[in-house]
Amino acid sequence: MVRSLVITFLLITLLSCSVGTRQSTPATYRSGIPLENMLPEETPGKDFHRYVNGHWQDYGLLPADQHQYDVYDELQERANDAVLQIIERAARTRYGNGTDEQKVGDLYQSYLDFKRRDRKGFSPLKPTLKRINEINSRADFAKYLAFANKVGYNPPFNLRVDIDLEDTSSYMISTWQAGLGLPNKQYYLSDEQKYRDLRREYRAHVQSMFELAGIADAELAARKVITLEMELASHHEDKPDNRNGDRLYNKFLYHNLPQIMPYFDWKEFMTDAGLRDIDGLVVPQIDYLRGLNEMLVTSELDDWKLYLTWHAIHANANNLSRSFASQHFAFYGRKLNQKRAMKRPKLRAVDVVNNVLGDIVGKTYLKEQLTVQTSRSLQQITNNQIRALSNQVDDVDWLDGDTQDIALEKLEGLTVKLGGPQVWQDYANLTIRFDDYFGNRKRAAVFNYHQQLILLNQKVDPKRWQQLPQSVRISYLPERNELVIPAGALQPPLYDFNAEQAVNYGAIGTVIADQLIASIDGAGKSFDPRGIYRPWWLDEDQREYQKLSKQVAQQYDLLALNPEHETQLHAQALLAKAQAKAAEEALAAAKLRAENPELEPELEPELEPAELDNSDVTDGGNAPEVNETEGFEQSEETESQVQEQLFLTSENDEFPSVNEASSETNDEFPSANDEFPSANLNEQTNTDLASMQPDGASGDSSLSPESDKTQQNPQQQTVATEPQFPMVNGQQTLNQSLSDINSLAVALNAYQYALSGRTSPTVDGYTGMQRFFIGYAQRWRVLYSPERQKQIQQQEDYLPLRYRVNGAVRNMDEFYPAFDITEQDQLYLESDKRVKIW
């Protein structure tokens, strides 16, 4: 838990909020802003994210069991605490055998009974290993894969039940590529050193687990497993889109399945999997199954047995003794995900109960946590978001009329699910024992598998949920055209029932808006209002959207990855503006002089070189004043002085000259290839200095680096070259930046609808508009471990969280008067450069 936050649970709703030492305002006018998290000495126009979250970021403590800790971790932590109280009440009381309470209490206790689990050791899994060792035929292999699907032992392909992409009133069953122990194929096939290192550590982990299980010649066995997985990974598709119906909806009748995998015994598999009576199986990745078929021919059966053995052990690592769980965490927790410690046992037990009996504890959680008043408040916020987005869609002129009509139809027909389900899972056929944790998990897996098969014979029930009430993520499901807002999300800092509404519209309002927008321009643009896969955007719509998106990408291309470089870029931009203005006025004077030679003595201006010392650039000083009195022409000495002052020939290396050899590397600012994507690697990036302005102002040809070659022209001024900093990759981060800008614009309009022309009160010293933007910014506070920070910085789509805030708010016109943002502020963006899509 972050120590800088003091959590108070409110009576009845148990919704929590952070409070400081300041006297709180009356509940009806509480701001909802945790003032102790803010850094009021920070200038909002310089770094709004830090202004709102700076104290929290500086003094918050990362929990030992987390590699990162953000707002959703806060929400889940509190939701888990509430669920833990429900579970422990059940565990402390004797209930009749077979009751829901008995199952919750006994499952919880069976997990925490580590002494009993340690005594059993590896023995609970031995029958499965015996079954694997007895595989001697294609039929045996197929039967085991059916069994592995039932119990969740990660076979080479999984079975999954989803809503039918062609008939959303029914369900379909499909295969899906699986069977890897590392996250995806890149971990197996990439030659990058970090992946090579991970593969070596993964092999050592497999060997250690084999040794714990008593597998003979564990080192050789581990090597054979990794070799087989690497070949399996080579057949995996790259990040397949599970909602792309054009590629995925390949339905095969039972008798046609051997066309894909002739060497696989489909008859035995379908029989043991309980699928003989279905009309067909959807195969999304046909080429993957064909590759798997080849491996069944070319790979040794004994190697497959070792592979199946490994995945049985791997799937049960946390269901056996503590030695297996510790080794599992050593690799998957520490090595792969940079986590420093395991969760406390009780919290791990909460995860288990949520996973196995989630609807039982969810029903109680919903009753205790969600009030009628909160439901009504959230429904009103959501209605205003839908109204705002509908009006904005109706107003845009770049969208075709037919496309516009479908978007509005989807928003009008959207189903909003709030709180929790009306139909709950019945666990009557699931047996839970206090002394058999391994057996409990195995029986639960088989129970869930059969519950999924039952759906194949039923129509889709709109009252069913795919999320638990105690979950915290708001989501949009395109196959159902529905927005799901679980009760767990209704906590500060996303939502505070007792706060004046501004902060809620900025926080949970933007989350809801983001999911609504996804219904029309995200995954939802491939699904019609009934949820059927049918892309409905015209090509022209796509092109117009891409034009607008390109503006966002170009805008973010001009942002430095490292905060210490932002001030320097800002000073450089101010300097470029001053020079552009001086050059424009000088050119106008020269033109007037040429047209009116008799006025030359009075009109000829004298342009003094701009004075700028190093501190002005590095410390973010304002733009230098330019003396524009008499005489524009400069001597060679003056030109040299200007060059020196602008760091073109300075001893200061921070702004290397374009004339320097390209092979030279600035040690102070290493090449972007070392850790970050370089701006000059992005073809979208304009190397014109004026285009490097943080405000995105377009440049004049007279201000390009080419002007260095035309010093003889008195109408052209020398300007500083582009600083070579690691920059944001605007194209790679486009999904994030578009999400932020669009959702903030919709939520802002929704907030204005909520006001209905009224003036929001000033609370805790902040106006309603200020609280709206602060509410948005506090969504994006996060703590990282050093290892996690380094890991995400190496990703191509890395967008620092400060830009999830700063990059979005600077595109909102209302942000500027709210915080008195001027042209001198770092976040200032000229009005014609602010992007609006919806």
Side-chain angles (χ1 to χ4, degrees), residues 215-268:
I215 304 298
D217 204 348
E219 181 180 4
L220 178 60
R223 290 183 180 277
K224 289 184 176 182
V225 167
I226 304 303
T227 299
L228 198 148
E229 282 192 6
M230 289 184 71
E231 186 176 355
L232 199 64
S234 70
H235 296 295
H236 268 238
E237 292 190 9
D238 294 318
K239 298 181 180 179
D241 181 359
N242 62 357
R243 291 194 172 106
N244 188 337
D246 288 338
R247 294 179 58 247
L248 302 183
Y249 200 85
N250 309 305
K251 195 167 187 177
F252 287 81
L253 299 177
Y254 168 73
H255 63 272
N256 289 331
L257 287 170
Q259 294 176 8
I260 310 171
M261 292 180 66
Y263 198 74
F264 185 70
D265 195 328
W266 285 104
K267 179 180 178 181
E268 294 295 341

Side-chain angles (χ1 to χ4, degrees), residues 172-364:
M172 67 178 186
I173 187 165
S174 63
T175 64
W176 199 261
Q177 62 187 24
L180 303 181
L182 291 172
N184 56 55
K185 65 183 298 182
Q186 186 176 22
Y187 284 78
Y188 292 90
L189 307 179
S190 174
D191 284 333
E192 289 185 49
Q193 189 60 44
K194 64 178 180 180
Y195 292 114
R196 295 168 64 91
D197 292 342
L198 276 172
R199 287 196 293 271
R200 184 176 61 254
E201 291 170 348
Y202 176 53
R203 185 176 67 243
H205 167 64
V206 175
Q207 178 181 338
S208 296
M209 294 291 271
F210 274 159
E211 289 170 350
L212 287 172
I215 304 298
D217 204 348
E219 181 180 4
L220 178 60
R223 290 183 180 277
K224 289 184 176 182
V225 167
I226 304 303
T227 299
L228 198 148
E229 282 192 6
M230 289 184 71
E231 186 176 355
L232 199 64
S234 70
H235 296 295
H236 268 238
E237 292 190 9
D238 294 318
K239 298 181 180 179
D241 181 359
N242 62 357
R243 291 194 172 106
N244 188 337
D246 288 338
R247 294 179 58 247
L248 302 183
Y249 200 85
N250 309 305
K251 195 167 187 177
F252 287 81
L253 299 177
Y254 168 73
H255 63 272
N256 289 331
L257 287 170
Q259 294 176 8
I260 310 171
M261 292 180 66
Y263 198 74
F264 185 70
D265 195 328
W266 285 104
K267 179 180 178 181
E268 294 295 341
F269 176 82
M270 299 290 277
T271 300
D272 274 37
L275 302 177
R276 287 298 301 271
D277 296 330
I278 66 170
D279 62 350
L281 187 65
V282 176
V283 181
Q285 299 105 18
I286 296 176
D287 288 342
Y288 169 71
L289 288 190
R290 286 173 175 159
L292 176 59
N293 182 74
E294 293 176 8
M295 291 180 63
L296 296 180
V297 177
T298 60
S299 299
E300 295 290 337
L301 180 58
D302 286 344
D303 291 350
W304 277 111
K305 290 181 180 181
L306 287 173
Y307 166 86
L308 298 174
T309 297
W310 156 241
H311 280 283
I313 297 171
H314 172 59
N316 287 283
N318 291 315
N319 301 335
L320 298 166
S321 65
R322 282 178 286 190
S323 57
F324 284 93
S326 295
Q327 176 57 40
H328 179 83
F329 178 80
F331 177 73
Y332 285 97
R334 288 197 180 93
K335 297 290 186 182
L336 200 58
N337 292 308
Q338 293 82 46
K339 293 184 178 181
R340 297 177 294 170
M342 298 175 72
K343 286 184 180 180
R344 290 187 293 116
K346 285 188 176 182
L347 294 180
R348 301 203 302 271
V350 167
D351 291 341
V352 169
V353 176
N354 277 333
N355 181 271
V356 175
L357 303 170
D359 272 22
I360 296 178
V361 292
K363 188 186 301 185
T364 304

Side-chain angles (χ1 to χ4, degrees), residues 632-650:
F632 178 76
E633 300 186 8
Q634 302 175 21
S635 66
E636 291 182 4
E637 179 182 358
T638 303
E639 276 192 43
S640 177
Q641 290 172 353
V642 173
Q643 288 182 340
E644 180 174 303
Q645 290 161 346
L646 297 180
F647 304 106
L648 291 175
T649 58
S650 171

Side-chain angles (χ1 to χ4, degrees), residues 522-543:
K525 69 181 178 183
S526 297
F527 291 79
D528 70 12
R530 294 178 298 162
I532 295 175
Y533 182 83
R534 182 173 66 87
W536 47 275
W537 276 46
L538 302 179
D539 290 342
E540 181 61 26
D541 300 322
Q542 298 279 14
R543 286 192 290 269

Side-chain angles (χ1 to χ4, degrees), residues 349-417:
V350 167
D351 291 341
V352 169
V353 176
N354 277 333
N355 181 271
V356 175
L357 303 170
D359 272 22
I360 296 178
V361 292
K363 188 186 301 185
T364 304
Y365 178 90
L366 185 63
K367 183 189 299 184
E368 295 179 353
Q369 301 296 318
L370 186 64
T371 65
V372 173
Q373 292 87 344
T374 295
S375 295
R376 289 174 179 168
S377 172
L378 252 295
Q379 190 64 59
Q380 185 61 48
I381 291 175
T382 304
N383 289 343
N384 282 334
Q385 305 291 335
I386 296 173
R387 175 189 173 191
L389 181 55
S390 297
N391 288 341
Q392 288 172 236
V393 169
D394 200 33
D395 287 343
V396 298
D397 56 6
W398 56 267
L399 200 63
D400 179 83
D402 292 338
T403 308
Q404 214 166 29
D405 290 342
I406 296 176
L408 294 172
E409 183 183 352
K410 290 199 71 175
L411 291 171
E412 183 180 357
L414 184 80
T415 299
V416 177
K417 291 184 174 180

